[in-house]
Amino acid sequence: MLSRKDILILGMMIFSLFLGAGNIIFPPMEGYHAGTNWLWAALGFILTGVFMPFITLIVVTVRGRGEALSTDLPPWVGVTFWSILYLIIGSTFAMPRVTNVAYEMAWLPLNIYSGEYSHIIFAVIFNLIGMGFMLKRSSMISTIGKFMAPILLVLLIIVGIGVIYNPISAIVAPSSNYAEGSALVTGMIGGYQTMDVLSAMAFGGIVARAFAVNKVTEGKTIVRYTLAAGATSVILLSGLYLCLFYLGATGDMVAVTSTNGGQIFSRYINALFGAPGLWIMSGIVMLANLTTLVGVTSACADYFSRFYHRLNYPFFVILFTIATIIISETGLDTLLRVTIPALLLIYPVAIMLVVLQLLRKKLPVISWSYNATIALTTLFSLCDSLKNMGILPESVETILKRFPFYQEGLTWLIPVLVMLILTIIVGKLSGKKA
């Protein structure tokens, strides 16, 4: 049995694992564009950026690890999907980006050292610190939950109080997509772009491992504890997003000259706190990136170590740490250009794997639903990925433009749901005939 303190520590760990720098710098720009409709936009963002990953986390934790969601697919499909997912969210794309965001937003503004080799020195030190936590896997969860997460939360509360009690600008009218459509729906699309469902698939295994260490193995007990711990994360993340949306909505003074949410966030904090604001911002970004680096890389190492018994978990931790350091030298802009098409390719598949798992007991012919739905999802996702890279054939794009939600990047949604319904209907009919 877990005590309330254990559940709280686990909840704080889940919160800090999900809270990467992207989750901090993305909402302010959304809030700025939402303007007077910032609250509805924030609620939409929370629906897809908090609750959808939370549901995924529960499903994965109950199954023990993310890979269990693909057991009804051909083995080669599952291995291909999970290998791509872990490489994308790990040292190939996302973790080098995490390193570079920490460098550009947390280290450079302090002006402590910015010489010729400052980036590689920072990347080495930052990743070696992360590796130290990962190698001590037994104490990693408690360290993040007991120490790193509370410090991060205190810094965010300081910012939140300052924003609420001393906003720097009046709220302006909605702009961009928020001026043309529903703030709730636009906010939901913004939350979808956080890609936290992918992270939840990796973090579910970490949470399951925490339960295993404490000898919690019964399904209903795992669900109850995950709901309790996850509720802490949901409340904290939701409160944070509300504050960040309000920050963006009241940040016109700094937002008009900003090109991204990170600039709005840093300039707003500077306007509120002056020079000490730089240290607050650096502390938030550094800790947010470090906890994400530790959680994701640990999950990646755990996955790949299961393929090669001679190459164990510590080996892959060291390998991925070295790879992250090397790839981070390509620069943040390059990594962003490459990461987005890769994420567009696998994110819809990840969502449908969770949906199928939730419906699994209701599917008359499980293999039909899984194979047909995932195949169609992959086809549409590939088109979205090629479109983002600018190499999708014009004839194909002309066809895709006729589908609902094309402009929002959700072309796959309606066709895939129709396919899922068809497999259920056909499965039931074939069962009756038999």
Side-chain angles (χ1 to χ4, degrees):
M1 298 293 289
L2 297 181
S3 66
R4 290 184 179 179
K5 180 181 177 181
D6 293 330
I7 294 173
L8 179 61
I9 291 173
L10 185 59
M12 292 293 287
M13 181 206 72
I14 295 171
F15 163 71
S16 57
L17 288 176
F18 274 116
L19 187 62
N23 302 81
I24 296 174
I25 66 177
F26 188 61
M29 183 60 79
E30 294 288 312
Y32 170 63
H33 287 307
T36 51
N37 293 330
W38 70 270
L39 182 57
W40 285 108
L43 292 176
F45 190 95
I46 289 169
L47 283 175
T48 52
V50 177
F51 284 100
M52 187 183 291
F54 178 48
I55 293 170
T56 303
L57 184 75
I58 294 173
V59 171
V60 174
T61 302
V62 171
R63 292 302 304 270
R65 54 192 301 110
E67 300 87 90
L69 302 186
S70 62
T71 53
D72 294 299
L73 292 169
W76 70 269
V77 175
V79 171
T80 301
F81 171 77
W82 292 108
S83 296
I84 293 173
L85 182 145
Y86 279 115
L87 287 174
I88 287 174
I89 68 172
S91 62
T92 306
F93 298 113
M95 292 309 99
R97 186 181 68 179
V98 161
T99 301
N100 285 346
V101 169
Y103 173 73
E104 294 186 12
M105 287 195 62
W107 179 254
L108 284 182
L110 297 178
N111 287 321
I112 296 175
Y113 174 70
S114 56
E116 182 180 357
Y117 300 105
S118 62
H119 182 275
I120 186 64
I121 292 173
F122 173 85
V124 170
I125 295 174
F126 181 73
N127 280 275
L128 286 180
I129 291 173
M131 188 177 73
F133 287 111
M134 287 180 270
L135 290 175
K136 297 177 181 178
R137 186 156 50 161
S138 60
S139 62
M140 181 182 75
I141 293 170
S142 61
T143 301
I144 293 175
K146 287 181 180 178
F147 304 107
M148 297 169 71
I151 295 172
L152 177 58
L153 185 60
V154 167
L155 293 174
L156 289 169
I157 289 174
I158 293 172
V159 173
I161 292 174
V163 171
I164 293 171
Y165 285 98
N166 190 27
I168 64 174
S169 301
I171 301 177
V172 296
S175 59
S176 189
N177 293 336
Y178 288 96
E180 302 168 1
S182 165
L184 182 68
V185 174
T186 306
M188 288 176 64
I189 294 169
Y192 162 80
Q193 296 298 332
T194 62
M195 307 293 181
D196 274 344
V197 168
L198 300 183
S199 299
M201 287 186 154
F203 297 153
I206 295 176
V207 177
R209 191 161 64 238
F211 288 137
V213 169
N214 289 278
K215 296 183 168 53
V216 178
T217 57
E218 204 272 320
K220 291 183 179 179
T221 306
I222 290 175
V223 171
R224 187 171 76 251
Y225 284 153
T226 306
L227 284 170
T232 301
S233 173
V234 167
I235 292 170
L236 293 176
L237 283 172
S238 298
L240 172 65
Y241 287 147
L242 286 169
C243 285
L244 291 176
F245 265 78
Y246 185 67
L247 180 151
T250 59
D252 183 59
M253 184 176 79
V254 295
V256 290
T257 57
S258 300
T259 58
N260 58 65
Q263 291 179 0
I264 295 175
F265 182 71
S266 59
R267 292 173 183 178
Y268 201 113
I269 291 179
N270 186 57
L272 280 179
F273 302 104
L278 287 176
W279 290 92
I280 295 174
M281 185 191 72
S282 293
I284 290 172
V285 175
M286 194 74 75
L287 283 172
N289 278 286
L290 185 60
T291 52
T292 302
L293 174 76
V294 170
V296 171
T297 308
S298 174
C300 294
D302 183 63
Y303 173 72
F304 285 103
S305 66
R306 293 174 183 267
F307 286 102
Y308 313 100
H309 298 296
R310 294 181 181 179
L311 305 179
N312 56 14
Y313 171 80
F315 170 82
F316 280 101
V317 167
I318 295 170
L319 176 65
F320 289 144
T321 297
I322 294 172
T324 297
I325 293 170
I326 294 172
I327 296 174
S328 69
E329 286 296 295
T330 61
L332 182 58
D333 292 339
T334 302
L335 288 170
L336 288 173
R337 285 198 300 270
V338 176
T339 303
I340 293 174
L343 288 171
L344 289 173
L345 178 62
I346 65 167
Y347 198 74
V349 177
I351 291 176
M352 288 312 301
L353 282 175
V354 175
V355 172
L356 287 166
Q357 183 64 38
L358 292 171
L359 299 175
R360 190 177 185 278
K361 293 182 179 180
K362 304 293 183 181
L363 300 175
V365 184
I366 293 173
S367 60
W368 288 6
S369 295
Y370 267 78
N371 290 331
T373 303
I374 295 302
L376 188 62
T377 305
T378 303
L379 178 62
F380 275 93
S381 300
L382 179 61
C383 291
D384 281 338
S385 181
L386 294 175
K387 173 192 165 190
N388 185 270
M389 291 187 289
I391 58 176
L392 181 68
E394 190 174 340
S395 57
V396 177
E397 188 167 0
T398 301
I399 297 173
L400 291 177
K401 286 180 179 178
R402 299 174 183 174
F403 285 85
F405 306 120
Y406 171 79
Q407 294 298 332
E408 290 83 1
L410 298 172
T411 315
W412 60 275
L413 184 60
I414 301 301
V416 168
L417 291 179
V418 171
M419 175 62 77
L420 177 58
I421 293 170
L422 284 175
T423 62
I424 294 174
I425 293 173
V426 173
K428 287 183 176 179
L429 290 175
S430 63
K432 289 180 180 179
K433 289 179 180 178

Short mmCIF file of all heavy atoms in Angstrom, two decimals, residues 181-223:
data_model
loop_
_atom_site.label_atom_id
_atom_site.label_comp_id
_atom_site.label_asym_id
_atom_site.label_seq_id
_atom_site.Cartn_x
_atom_site.Cartn_y
_atom_site.Cartn_z
N GLY A 181 -12.43 31.78 -35.60
CA GLY A 181 -13.19 30.60 -35.21
C GLY A 181 -13.40 30.51 -33.72
O GLY A 181 -13.14 31.46 -32.98
N SER A 182 -13.89 29.36 -33.28
CA SER A 182 -14.17 29.13 -31.87
C SER A 182 -12.87 29.11 -31.07
O SER A 182 -11.92 28.41 -31.42
CB SER A 182 -14.91 27.80 -31.71
OG SER A 182 -14.90 27.37 -30.37
N ALA A 183 -12.84 29.86 -29.97
CA ALA A 183 -11.65 29.89 -29.11
C ALA A 183 -11.43 28.52 -28.46
O ALA A 183 -10.30 28.06 -28.30
CB ALA A 183 -11.79 30.96 -28.04
N LEU A 184 -12.54 27.84 -28.09
CA LEU A 184 -12.42 26.53 -27.46
C LEU A 184 -11.79 25.51 -28.40
O LEU A 184 -10.85 24.80 -28.03
CB LEU A 184 -13.81 26.05 -27.02
CG LEU A 184 -13.85 24.70 -26.30
CD1 LEU A 184 -13.18 24.80 -24.94
CD2 LEU A 184 -15.29 24.21 -26.16
N VAL A 185 -12.29 25.47 -29.65
CA VAL A 185 -11.77 24.51 -30.63
C VAL A 185 -10.33 24.83 -31.00
O VAL A 185 -9.48 23.95 -31.09
CB VAL A 185 -12.66 24.50 -31.89
CG1 VAL A 185 -12.04 23.62 -32.98
CG2 VAL A 185 -14.05 24.01 -31.56
N THR A 186 -10.03 26.12 -31.21
CA THR A 186 -8.66 26.52 -31.55
C THR A 186 -7.70 26.19 -30.42
O THR A 186 -6.57 25.75 -30.65
CB THR A 186 -8.61 28.04 -31.86
OG1 THR A 186 -9.57 28.35 -32.86
CG2 THR A 186 -7.23 28.44 -32.35
N GLY A 187 -8.16 26.39 -29.19
CA GLY A 187 -7.34 26.01 -28.04
C GLY A 187 -7.11 24.52 -27.96
O GLY A 187 -6.03 24.07 -27.60
N MET A 188 -8.14 23.73 -28.31
CA MET A 188 -8.00 22.27 -28.31
C MET A 188 -6.93 21.84 -29.32
O MET A 188 -6.13 20.95 -29.04
CB MET A 188 -9.34 21.62 -28.66
CG MET A 188 -10.37 21.71 -27.55
SD MET A 188 -11.97 21.05 -28.03
CE MET A 188 -11.56 19.32 -28.29
N ILE A 189 -6.93 22.47 -30.49
CA ILE A 189 -5.92 22.14 -31.51
C ILE A 189 -4.53 22.52 -31.01
O ILE A 189 -3.55 21.81 -31.24
CB ILE A 189 -6.26 22.86 -32.83
CG1 ILE A 189 -7.57 22.29 -33.39
CG2 ILE A 189 -5.13 22.69 -33.85
CD1 ILE A 189 -8.15 23.08 -34.53
N GLY A 190 -4.44 23.66 -30.31
CA GLY A 190 -3.16 24.07 -29.73
C GLY A 190 -2.65 23.06 -28.71
O GLY A 190 -1.47 22.73 -28.67
N GLY A 191 -3.55 22.53 -27.88
CA GLY A 191 -3.17 21.51 -26.90
C GLY A 191 -2.74 20.21 -27.54
O GLY A 191 -1.83 19.53 -27.06
N TYR A 192 -3.38 19.88 -28.64
CA TYR A 192 -3.02 18.68 -29.41
C TYR A 192 -1.57 18.77 -29.89
O TYR A 192 -0.84 17.78 -29.91
CB TYR A 192 -3.98 18.56 -30.59
CG TYR A 192 -3.54 17.66 -31.73
CD1 TYR A 192 -3.66 16.29 -31.64
CD2 TYR A 192 -3.01 18.20 -32.90
CE1 TYR A 192 -3.27 15.47 -32.68
CE2 TYR A 192 -2.61 17.39 -33.95
CZ TYR A 192 -2.75 16.02 -33.83
OH TYR A 192 -2.36 15.22 -34.87
N GLN A 193 -1.13 19.98 -30.22
CA GLN A 193 0.21 20.17 -30.75
C GLN A 193 1.30 20.02 -29.69
O GLN A 193 2.48 19.98 -30.03
CB GLN A 193 0.34 21.55 -31.40
CG GLN A 193 -0.56 21.77 -32.61
CD GLN A 193 -0.25 20.82 -33.75
OE1 GLN A 193 0.87 20.37 -33.89
NE2 GLN A 193 -1.26 20.51 -34.55
N THR A 194 0.93 19.92 -28.40
CA THR A 194 1.96 19.72 -27.36
C THR A 194 2.61 18.34 -27.48
O THR A 194 3.70 18.13 -26.96
CB THR A 194 1.37 19.84 -25.95
OG1 THR A 194 0.39 18.81 -25.76
CG2 THR A 194 0.74 21.21 -25.73
N MET A 195 1.93 17.39 -28.14
CA MET A 195 2.46 16.04 -28.36
C MET A 195 2.71 15.28 -27.06
O MET A 195 3.50 14.34 -27.01
CB MET A 195 3.77 16.10 -29.17
CG MET A 195 3.68 16.87 -30.46
SD MET A 195 2.62 16.05 -31.66
CE MET A 195 2.75 17.16 -33.07
N ASP A 196 1.98 15.64 -25.99
CA ASP A 196 2.22 14.99 -24.70
C ASP A 196 1.67 13.57 -24.63
O ASP A 196 2.00 12.83 -23.70
CB ASP A 196 1.64 15.83 -23.56
CG ASP A 196 2.60 16.89 -23.08
OD1 ASP A 196 3.80 16.79 -23.41
OD2 ASP A 196 2.18 17.82 -22.38
N VAL A 197 0.81 13.18 -25.58
CA VAL A 197 0.35 11.79 -25.62
C VAL A 197 1.53 10.85 -25.83
O VAL A 197 1.61 9.77 -25.24
CB VAL A 197 -0.71 11.60 -26.72
CG1 VAL A 197 -0.98 10.11 -26.97
CG2 VAL A 197 -2.01 12.28 -26.33
N LEU A 198 2.48 11.28 -26.68
CA LEU A 198 3.68 10.47 -26.90
C LEU A 198 4.48 10.33 -25.62
O LEU A 198 4.97 9.24 -25.29
CB LEU A 198 4.54 11.10 -28.00
CG LEU A 198 3.92 11.27 -29.38
CD1 LEU A 198 4.95 11.83 -30.35
CD2 LEU A 198 3.36 9.97 -29.90
N SER A 199 4.62 11.44 -24.91
CA SER A 199 5.37 11.40 -23.65
C SER A 199 4.68 10.49 -22.64
O SER A 199 5.33 9.74 -21.90
CB SER A 199 5.50 12.81 -23.07
OG SER A 199 6.21 13.65 -23.95
N ALA A 200 3.33 10.55 -22.62
CA ALA A 200 2.58 9.71 -21.68
C ALA A 200 2.81 8.23 -21.94
O ALA A 200 2.82 7.41 -21.01
CB ALA A 200 1.09 10.03 -21.77
N MET A 201 3.01 7.86 -23.21
CA MET A 201 3.27 6.47 -23.54
C MET A 201 4.60 6.00 -22.96
O MET A 201 4.77 4.84 -22.59
CB MET A 201 3.27 6.28 -25.06
CG MET A 201 1.88 6.34 -25.65
SD MET A 201 1.87 5.95 -27.40
CE MET A 201 0.19 5.34 -27.60
N ALA A 202 5.55 6.91 -22.89
CA ALA A 202 6.85 6.58 -22.29
C ALA A 202 6.78 6.65 -20.77
O ALA A 202 7.31 5.77 -20.07
CB ALA A 202 7.92 7.53 -22.81
N PHE A 203 6.12 7.67 -20.24
CA PHE A 203 6.09 7.87 -18.79
C PHE A 203 5.22 6.84 -18.08
O PHE A 203 5.42 6.57 -16.89
CB PHE A 203 5.58 9.28 -18.46
CG PHE A 203 6.47 10.37 -18.97
CD1 PHE A 203 5.96 11.63 -19.27
CD2 PHE A 203 7.83 10.16 -19.16
CE1 PHE A 203 6.78 12.64 -19.76
CE2 PHE A 203 8.66 11.16 -19.64
CZ PHE A 203 8.13 12.41 -19.94
N GLY A 204 4.24 6.26 -18.81
CA GLY A 204 3.40 5.23 -18.19
C GLY A 204 4.22 4.06 -17.68
O GLY A 204 3.93 3.49 -16.62
N GLY A 205 5.27 3.71 -18.43
CA GLY A 205 6.15 2.63 -18.00
C GLY A 205 6.91 2.99 -16.74
O GLY A 205 7.15 2.13 -15.87
N ILE A 206 7.30 4.26 -16.61
CA ILE A 206 8.01 4.71 -15.41
C ILE A 206 7.10 4.64 -14.19
O ILE A 206 7.51 4.19 -13.11
CB ILE A 206 8.53 6.16 -15.61
CG1 ILE A 206 9.58 6.18 -16.73
CG2 ILE A 206 9.13 6.70 -14.32
CD1 ILE A 206 10.08 7.57 -17.07
N VAL A 207 5.84 5.07 -14.36
CA VAL A 207 4.88 5.01 -13.26
C VAL A 207 4.60 3.56 -12.87
O VAL A 207 4.55 3.22 -11.68
CB VAL A 207 3.57 5.72 -13.65
CG1 VAL A 207 2.53 5.59 -12.54
CG2 VAL A 207 3.82 7.20 -13.95
N ALA A 208 4.45 2.70 -13.89
CA ALA A 208 4.22 1.27 -13.61
C ALA A 208 5.39 0.67 -12.85
O ALA A 208 5.20 -0.16 -11.95
CB ALA A 208 3.99 0.53 -14.93
N ARG A 209 6.61 1.08 -13.21
CA ARG A 209 7.80 0.58 -12.52
C ARG A 209 7.81 1.04 -11.05
O ARG A 209 8.22 0.29 -10.16
CB ARG A 209 9.06 1.07 -13.24
CG ARG A 209 10.32 0.40 -12.74
CD ARG A 209 11.46 0.55 -13.75
NE ARG A 209 11.86 1.93 -13.94
CZ ARG A 209 11.84 2.55 -15.12
NH1 ARG A 209 11.41 1.92 -16.19
NH2 ARG A 209 12.23 3.81 -15.23
N ALA A 210 7.32 2.28 -10.83
CA ALA A 210 7.24 2.77 -9.45
C ALA A 210 6.28 1.93 -8.62
O ALA A 210 6.54 1.62 -7.45
CB ALA A 210 6.79 4.23 -9.45
N PHE A 211 5.17 1.52 -9.23
CA PHE A 211 4.22 0.65 -8.53
C PHE A 211 4.83 -0.73 -8.27
O PHE A 211 4.65 -1.31 -7.19
CB PHE A 211 2.93 0.50 -9.34
CG PHE A 211 2.07 1.73 -9.36
CD1 PHE A 211 1.48 2.17 -10.53
CD2 PHE A 211 1.84 2.45 -8.19
CE1 PHE A 211 0.67 3.30 -10.54
CE2 PHE A 211 1.05 3.59 -8.19
CZ PHE A 211 0.46 4.01 -9.37
N ALA A 212 5.56 -1.24 -9.25
CA ALA A 212 6.18 -2.57 -9.11
C ALA A 212 7.18 -2.58 -7.96
O ALA A 212 7.26 -3.55 -7.19
CB ALA A 212 6.85 -2.97 -10.42
N VAL A 213 7.96 -1.51 -7.84
CA VAL A 213 8.95 -1.40 -6.76
C VAL A 213 8.26 -1.46 -5.39
O VAL A 213 8.79 -2.03 -4.43
CB VAL A 213 9.76 -0.09 -6.91
CG1 VAL A 213 10.59 0.17 -5.65
CG2 VAL A 213 10.67 -0.18 -8.12
N ASN A 214 7.06 -0.86 -5.33
CA ASN A 214 6.31 -0.84 -4.07
C ASN A 214 5.34 -2.01 -3.95
O ASN A 214 4.42 -2.00 -3.12
CB ASN A 214 5.53 0.47 -3.96
CG ASN A 214 6.43 1.67 -3.71
OD1 ASN A 214 6.83 1.93 -2.58
ND2 ASN A 214 6.76 2.41 -4.76
N LYS A 215 5.53 -3.03 -4.86
CA LYS A 215 4.74 -4.26 -4.82
C LYS A 215 3.23 -4.01 -4.99
O LYS A 215 2.39 -4.69 -4.39
CB LYS A 215 4.99 -5.01 -3.51
CG LYS A 215 6.43 -5.50 -3.36
CD LYS A 215 6.58 -6.29 -2.08
CE LYS A 215 7.87 -7.03 -1.98
NZ LYS A 215 9.08 -6.47 -2.12
N VAL A 216 2.89 -3.02 -5.82
CA VAL A 216 1.49 -2.76 -6.18
C VAL A 216 1.28 -3.37 -7.56
O VAL A 216 1.78 -2.86 -8.56
CB VAL A 216 1.19 -1.25 -6.21
CG1 VAL A 216 -0.26 -1.01 -6.63
CG2 VAL A 216 1.44 -0.63 -4.84
N THR A 217 0.53 -4.48 -7.64
CA THR A 217 0.40 -5.21 -8.90
C THR A 217 -1.05 -5.44 -9.32
O THR A 217 -1.31 -5.81 -10.46
CB THR A 217 1.09 -6.58 -8.79
OG1 THR A 217 0.53 -7.30 -7.67
CG2 THR A 217 2.60 -6.42 -8.58
N GLU A 218 -2.01 -5.25 -8.41
CA GLU A 218 -3.41 -5.52 -8.73
C GLU A 218 -3.98 -4.40 -9.59
O GLU A 218 -3.78 -3.22 -9.31
CB GLU A 218 -4.21 -5.65 -7.43
CG GLU A 218 -5.48 -6.47 -7.59
CD GLU A 218 -6.65 -5.59 -8.00
OE1 GLU A 218 -6.75 -4.47 -7.50
OE2 GLU A 218 -7.45 -6.05 -8.85
N GLY A 219 -4.70 -4.77 -10.66
CA GLY A 219 -5.16 -3.80 -11.67
C GLY A 219 -5.98 -2.65 -11.10
O GLY A 219 -5.71 -1.49 -11.39
N LYS A 220 -6.98 -2.97 -10.28
CA LYS A 220 -7.86 -1.92 -9.74
C LYS A 220 -7.09 -0.98 -8.81
O LYS A 220 -7.35 0.23 -8.77
CB LYS A 220 -9.03 -2.55 -9.01
CG LYS A 220 -10.01 -3.27 -9.92
CD LYS A 220 -11.19 -3.82 -9.14
CE LYS A 220 -12.18 -4.52 -10.07
NZ LYS A 220 -13.34 -5.08 -9.33
N THR A 221 -6.15 -1.54 -8.06
CA THR A 221 -5.34 -0.71 -7.16
C THR A 221 -4.45 0.23 -7.95
O THR A 221 -4.29 1.41 -7.58
CB THR A 221 -4.48 -1.60 -6.25
OG1 THR A 221 -5.30 -2.54 -5.57
CG2 THR A 221 -3.72 -0.75 -5.24
N ILE A 222 -3.89 -0.27 -9.06
CA ILE A 222 -3.04 0.57 -9.92
C ILE A 222 -3.85 1.72 -10.49
O ILE A 222 -3.40 2.87 -10.52
CB ILE A 222 -2.42 -0.28 -11.05
CG1 ILE A 222 -1.38 -1.23 -10.47
CG2 ILE A 222 -1.79 0.62 -12.11
CD1 ILE A 222 -0.80 -2.19 -11.50
N VAL A 223 -5.07 1.42 -10.95
CA VAL A 223 -5.94 2.47 -11.51
C VAL A 223 -6.24 3.52 -10.44
O VAL A 223 -6.16 4.73 -10.70
CB VAL A 223 -7.25 1.88 -12.05
CG1 VAL A 223 -8.23 2.99 -12.42
CG2 VAL A 223 -6.98 1.00 -13.26
#
